[in-house]
Structure formats: structure tokens, C-alpha cells
Amino acid sequence: MKKKTTLSKAALLMVGLLVSAAPAFGVHPEERSDLENLRKRIEALEKEKAEEPLLIEALSKKLRFSGLLELEAAYARTEGGDESSDLALATAQLGVEALINDSISGHIILLHEEGEDQSVVVDEAVITLGCSSSFCPGDFSLAGGKMYLPFGKFNSHFISDPLTLDLGETNNTALYVGWVVAQRTDLKLGVFSGESDTFGDNDTIDSWVASLEGTPFEGLTLGASYISDLAESDIGLVTDADLYRSSVPGAAVYLSAAFGSFTLEGEYVTATRSFDAPVVAAGEDLTGKQPNAWNLELALVPNDRWEVAAKAEGAKDFQDDLHRYGAVVSYGLFQNTVVGLEYLLGDQREGDEERSHTVTAQLAFEF
């Protein structure tokens, strides 16, 4: 109990120090990984330079508007089982960014995803403060608000989310400080009050996240991150809080290497120790004590309109030890517009499910 109280006080002290230093900071907030991946695919396939987002400027203030639409058609078949198909507006996103001056800005992103919940939600709402002048030793940043925490990278060239993203992506209200040195090393450290609290540990700022990313030379990026409780991820690993007695940290490492027309992406996300057996028994996606996931992709851009990629990925103690293999082809149809076709073969090593085959077609438009 004393350790918990000390951690909470330390978190509050850090928040106070960051707030007191706010005027000197600038920010590089995290973005939703799957949508950022789509933007990278569009950028890679654009024959012409993309137009800037709609910009309105008045009274020395600027507003930038942007949006993203994804229409997807999918067909799935389980060997020895049923077939299914669906047509869905997978993503409808609208964002606005207010640029007050070089040191302060903010953005709000509204998101709708077709499914059981048809509502529009505030996906991100972030206040940013910055300092990149000669006064600062490097590029400091401060971000506060509802955001995607800097845990994991989740780079992908595919339409479907990688298993690493399913396990690790975390959206929460947080405050973090970042420091970029010579555009080659990026360090982030943040605190937040988690929602998946352990038993008797509510209403305290007692969770934290840290990430380190480096670019030792052109074309190679390496990164590592740590979160104090993997149960905070959006997948909801802990379904019964009364059974959750001790936080289980998570760690992630990744690399991204570009050489010529090829790009290699690799990532591994894992819990650093085991969840208790009662928590595992009560879970759905958590199907073992120490969940982990990995993803490996190789992409080729033969020209400025086409991209092809292949992947292998897997999970352990998560989603019945699912392994998937697949390929995707994307084509830059028009400016800011991409069509893609993806095939995935799924094989669950645990459970009763047979192998599955999934084909997904996507039409995506960014403005």
C-alpha cells in the first residue's frame, strides 16, 4: 500500500513539473496507428504531390481541416464452417487543428466506425506546447489530452490491423513530455490514470509510459517502449476488475528499414510477466498468462502507383494463439485516393476454430 501511494505522489509531482515548464515546450503527438499507416500508403503511391489540407487563416491564427474515409468489402470463409461477407464504411474521420503560433496549438479528431456502436466519438483532443528554438537544447515537447499513448509503433502496409496493434494500442487521457535530439533520437515519457485499475487502486495517476526511437542512419529506424500496465490497452485484456490484483507491464520493440524500393517492418509486443490464472479464465482475448504478438512485413513499391506487401504474424496466449499469413496490393487510383486488395490466411493454434480465409477490398480517400 505504501508503494502505491508513493507512486501516485511521484506521478502528481511529475505532472506539476511539466505544467510549470509548459511555456517552453512543443509537441509531436501520437496519431492513431492504422490511420497513419493508410496515410503513408497514400503518400507512397501518389504520382503528384498531395495538396495541403484546407487552411483558413484570420487574425494571425490558422485552422487546418482534414478527413479520411474508408469503404471496405470483406469475404471470410472458415474451412469446414460458414461463409460471410460484409460491406462497411470502416472509417469516417474529421479533424481540425488550431495553430495559434509556433509554440502552441491543439487538435480535435472525430471518428465514426461502422459496427454495433453507430455513434461519433472524440478520438483525439490534444493541447500541444512547443519549443524548438535555439533556447532549447534540442526539440522539447509537451502534449496533454485524449491521445494514443506512445507505446508500440504498429507500422503496417495491410488493410487489416496487425496483431501487435490489437494487443498494444492504447487510447487514454494523458500528459507526456518529449525530447528530440538532432532529429535522430526521440524520447517520450508520460503519465495517466488508467481505467483497468487493480483491486483497490482507483482514482489515482499511477500509470506511466515511455518510448525511445532512434534513426542511426538514413532508412533505418529502431524503437522500444514500455507501459506500466498492459491491461490498459484498448482490447480490454481484463474483464473482471475484482480479480485483478497486480499490474502487468508491457514492452514493445520494433524496426523499420528501407532499402531501395523495399521496406521491412518488424515488431514484437509482450507482457513482461504473467497475468494471474483467475484473470485469464475470465478473459476473452486473453487466452494465456503472458500474451505477446509479433508482426513481420516486407513491402515493395515498383513504381509510383503500385505497392505490394507480404506478411507473417502471430500471437501467444492471445486470441487463441492466432497466426496469420497474407499479401496485399495497393494502387494509387487518383490523388489522395487508394484502392487495395488483401488476402489473409488465419490459423489458430489453440481452440476449436479451423483455418480461415479472408479477402478484403478497400477504397480510401484522404482530404
Side-chain angles (χ1 to χ4, degrees):
M1 182 65 69
K2 184 177 181 181
K3 181 179 180 181
K4 183 195 309 176
T5 303
T6 302
L7 179 58
S8 300
K9 289 182 178 179
L12 289 171
L13 177 59
M14 178 182 176
V15 172
L17 291 173
L18 295 180
V19 171
S20 66
F25 286 94
V27 75
H28 309 279
E30 296 296 304
E31 297 187 68
R32 178 172 170 166
S33 301
D34 52 347
L35 302 185
E36 176 63 12
N37 288 331
L38 174 60
R39 291 191 179 94
K40 290 178 181 177
R41 286 168 54 207
I42 291 176
E43 181 180 349
L45 298 174
E46 294 228 316
K47 188 174 183 179
E48 302 175 4
K49 186 180 184 297
E51 294 181 356
E52 292 294 325
L54 176 61
L55 177 64
I56 298 176
E57 184 171 358
L59 301 176
S60 299
K61 299 176 178 61
K62 300 178 182 179
L63 293 178
R64 295 182 186 272
F65 295 88
S66 61
L68 186 64
L69 298 174
E70 293 177 319
L71 179 65
E72 294 181 1
Y75 167 79
R77 179 177 67 86
T78 302
E79 294 182 2
D82 298 331
E83 298 181 5
S84 63
S85 60
D86 191 21
L87 179 65
L89 179 63
T91 302
Q93 182 200 64
L94 181 63
V96 58
E97 181 181 13
L99 306 173
I100 306 302
N101 54 47
D102 292 339
S103 298
I104 183 168
S105 64
H107 75 263
I108 297 175
I109 295 178
L110 303 179
L111 179 68
H112 165 76
E113 293 178 307
E114 193 166 310
E116 295 181 3
D117 185 0
Q118 299 293 328
S119 62
V120 176
V121 300
V122 177
D123 195 44
E124 297 180 44
V126 181
I127 303 170
T128 67
L129 300 169
C131 178
S132 57
S133 66
S134 58
F135 174 77
C136 304
D139 186 0
F140 280 94
S141 63
L142 178 75
K146 191 173 189 291
M147 65 180 71
Y148 287 88
L149 301 183
F151 175 70
K153 193 65 174 181
F154 316 127
N155 287 339
S156 179
H157 300 265
F158 278 67
I159 297 171
S160 301
D161 295 337
L163 293 173
T164 50
L165 183 148
D166 290 339
L167 178 60
E169 187 174 64
T170 308
N171 183 288
N172 212 315
T173 299
L175 182 69
Y176 76 78
V177 61
W179 184 30
V180 181
V181 181
Q183 298 183 348
R184 287 190 174 274
T185 303
D186 188 356
L187 172 65
K188 294 186 177 73
L189 179 63
V191 294
F192 63 101
S193 177
E195 297 178 359
S196 299
D197 295 309
T198 55
F199 182 75
D201 185 19
N202 300 317
D203 302 323
T204 55
I205 304 175
D206 57 354
S207 299
W208 61 279
V209 62
S211 69
L212 178 65
E213 179 179 284
T215 304
F217 54 83
E218 185 76 20
L220 177 63
T221 301
L222 305 172
S225 54
Y226 181 92
I227 191 169
S228 62
D229 193 355
L230 187 60
E232 298 296 345
S233 71
D234 296 340
I235 196 69
L237 294 175
V238 174
T239 57
D240 189 344
D242 292 337
L243 299 174
Y244 196 38
R245 301 286 174 173
S246 180
S247 297
V248 176
V253 293
Y254 79 93
L255 68 84
S256 178
F259 40 98
S261 299
F262 290 90
T263 301
L264 177 67
E265 309 283 2
E267 185 162 25
Y268 179 69
V269 179
T270 184
T272 61
R273 61 181 184 81
S274 299
F275 284 87
D276 292 336
V279 175
V280 177
E284 297 178 1
D285 295 291
L286 181 59
T287 52
K289 289 187 175 183
Q290 192 168 355
N292 63 76
W294 57 272
N295 183 47
L296 186 64
E297 297 184 11
L298 180 64
L300 168 66
V301 181
N303 55 51
D304 52 12
R305 286 292 187 182
W306 291 93
E307 180 185 72
V308 294
K311 82 178 309 176
E313 63 177 342
K316 178 67 175 176
D317 291 348
F318 176 63
Q319 295 189 1
D320 290 322
D321 294 1
L322 176 64
H323 283 63
R324 291 195 301 207
Y325 312 90
V328 65
V329 57
S330 299
Y331 176 71
L333 187 62
F334 301 112
Q335 192 171 12
N336 292 10
T337 308
V338 165
V339 293
L341 184 65
E342 169 193 277
Y343 167 75
L344 288 176
L345 168 65
D347 184 12
Q348 288 183 328
R349 306 299 172 88
E350 299 292 337
D352 300 326
E353 292 290 336
E354 300 289 341
R355 293 200 305 176
S356 63
H357 305 267
T358 305
V359 178
T360 304
Q362 182 191 71
L363 173 62
F365 170 62
E366 181 188 14
F367 61 92

